[in-house]
Amino acid sequence: MATILFGDSIAKGITYSNQKLTLTDEPIVDALNQLYGISIDNKSVYGQTLKRIHDKRLIEQTIIQLDPNEKHYVIIAVGGNDADYDWKMVGENPKLTHQPKTPLPLFEEILTYYVTYLKDKDITPILLTTVPLISKRYFEEVVSKAGNPENILKFFNQDIEMIFRHHEAYSHVITKIAYSYNCVLVDIRTSLLHQTNYNDYISKDGIHPNQKGYNLILSIIQDKLISDETMRQWIDFQQTAHDLSQTYL
């Protein structure tokens, strides 16, 4: 069996420290392998979007190589970069109508396609909601360095929290599709927002979790592994495959 993860920098385990992006001390994928023997083929890429995954047919190219007689899982953990704008262009022309990297209706269309595509092939899709960003930090550390900050604020009608709400809409689509198509949903967003000191879990750039944040996300995933029958089966399949591989070594 195979478990493949298609995600962005957060799924890869990237954090922001000392004014630069770096790999966190213990990526979640590595922790899951150590704790449960779960082997995940992590195809996550910094800046990844669902549109890019679709345009390059990355999921299809991977699936075609899998044994159709075995049970497989595909984890999709994207959305934050899809919601992003070309901040340089926005800063140059704030009065124009700008589209994010993946417009929301297209994001919903592509994600729906992949959920049905995977289910038709008897592959279990697992969806993750997005990490909620901190608008002020994100604007100061990322947006304002990519384009004219005064003009970008004009684009958002001086409402910096529009960035948060815009990103949240993508997470809502992920949740809607998961419930509509009876997919496994790991809702890391809601659990993070329930933390009264949520800001302490996010790096200075306002978007990437720090190590404390990644530890919390790991605990959210662990709770889901215990409470969800499909996730428990996922562990059982992984551990059985691991035991069989050890037998024939």
Side-chain angles (χ1 to χ4, degrees):
M1 68 163 289
T3 297
I4 305 103
L5 167 58
F6 294 91
D8 52 26
S9 57
I10 294 177
K12 194 172 181 65
I14 299 293
T15 190
Y16 185 77
S17 178
N18 297 320
Q19 302 299 310
K20 65 179 182 180
L21 295 170
T22 183
L23 191 66
T24 187
D25 292 338
E26 188 176 16
I28 292 174
V29 168
D30 294 347
L32 289 172
N33 182 262
Q34 293 174 9
L35 289 168
Y36 304 103
I38 295 174
S39 178
I40 299 174
D41 182 4
N42 191 353
K43 296 185 180 297
S44 300
V45 176
Y46 177 79
Q48 187 65 283
T49 66
L50 187 62
K51 184 178 184 301
R52 186 185 300 162
I53 290 172
H54 181 258
D55 288 346
K56 293 186 175 181
R57 295 295 190 267
L58 298 180
I59 292 180
E60 291 91 335
Q61 291 174 19
T62 300
I63 297 306
I64 200 171
Q65 301 177 47
L66 301 179
D67 185 343
N69 297 313
E70 294 185 1
K71 181 67 177 174
H72 304 296
Y73 296 79
V74 168
I75 306 168
I76 301 176
V78 292
N81 294 306
D82 292 273
D84 235 352
Y85 289 89
D86 183 332
W87 299 116
K88 184 176 184 297
M89 293 296 295
V90 173
E92 291 174 354
N93 301 282
K95 293 183 179 181
L96 295 181
T97 299
H98 295 273
Q99 293 293 332
K101 292 178 180 176
T102 311
L104 190 61
L106 180 59
F107 181 82
E108 181 170 357
E109 179 184 331
I110 296 174
L111 189 57
T112 300
Y113 161 74
Y114 277 121
V115 164
T116 55
Y117 168 81
L118 293 169
K119 281 180 166 286
D120 285 346
K121 293 185 176 301
D122 199 27
I123 296 172
T124 301
I126 299 173
L127 305 184
L128 271 70
T129 54
T130 61
V131 171
L133 55 74
I134 299 172
S135 296
K136 185 174 185 296
R137 289 186 195 174
Y138 186 65
F139 183 81
E140 292 174 350
E141 292 294 324
V142 179
V143 176
S144 64
K145 295 177 181 178
N148 186 308
E150 292 182 2
N151 282 346
I152 293 171
L153 273 177
K154 290 178 183 177
F155 177 71
F156 286 118
N157 294 317
Q158 306 299 321
D159 182 4
I160 199 172
E161 289 304 322
M162 270 293 295
I163 302 174
F164 176 92
R165 296 195 296 274
H166 174 67
H167 274 244
E168 188 170 50
Y170 285 74
S171 200
H172 284 167
V173 164
I174 295 169
T175 301
K176 182 177 77 171
I177 290 174
Y179 283 112
S180 297
Y181 292 89
N182 194 28
C183 298
V184 176
L185 177 71
V186 183
D187 186 8
I188 59 177
R189 185 181 187 89
T190 299
S191 297
L192 283 164
L193 286 173
H194 280 169
Q195 305 302 312
T196 55
N197 57 339
Y198 168 68
N199 289 8
D200 293 344
Y201 294 87
I202 301 297
S203 301
K204 190 179 178 181
D205 69 352
I207 185 68
H208 292 95
N210 53 29
Q211 187 61 59
K212 183 177 180 180
Y214 278 114
N215 291 343
L216 178 58
I217 293 171
L218 175 61
S219 70
I220 294 167
I221 294 172
Q222 288 179 290
D223 289 343
K224 188 70 175 180
L225 289 172
I226 295 171
S227 63
D228 188 275
E229 176 62 28
T230 300
M231 296 290 274
R232 289 199 300 271
Q233 291 177 3
W234 178 48
I235 295 179
D236 291 340
F237 275 121
Q238 291 272 1
Q239 291 176 338
T240 299
H242 175 75
D243 292 342
L244 286 172
S245 67
Q246 294 299 310
T247 302
Y248 293 101
L249 286 178

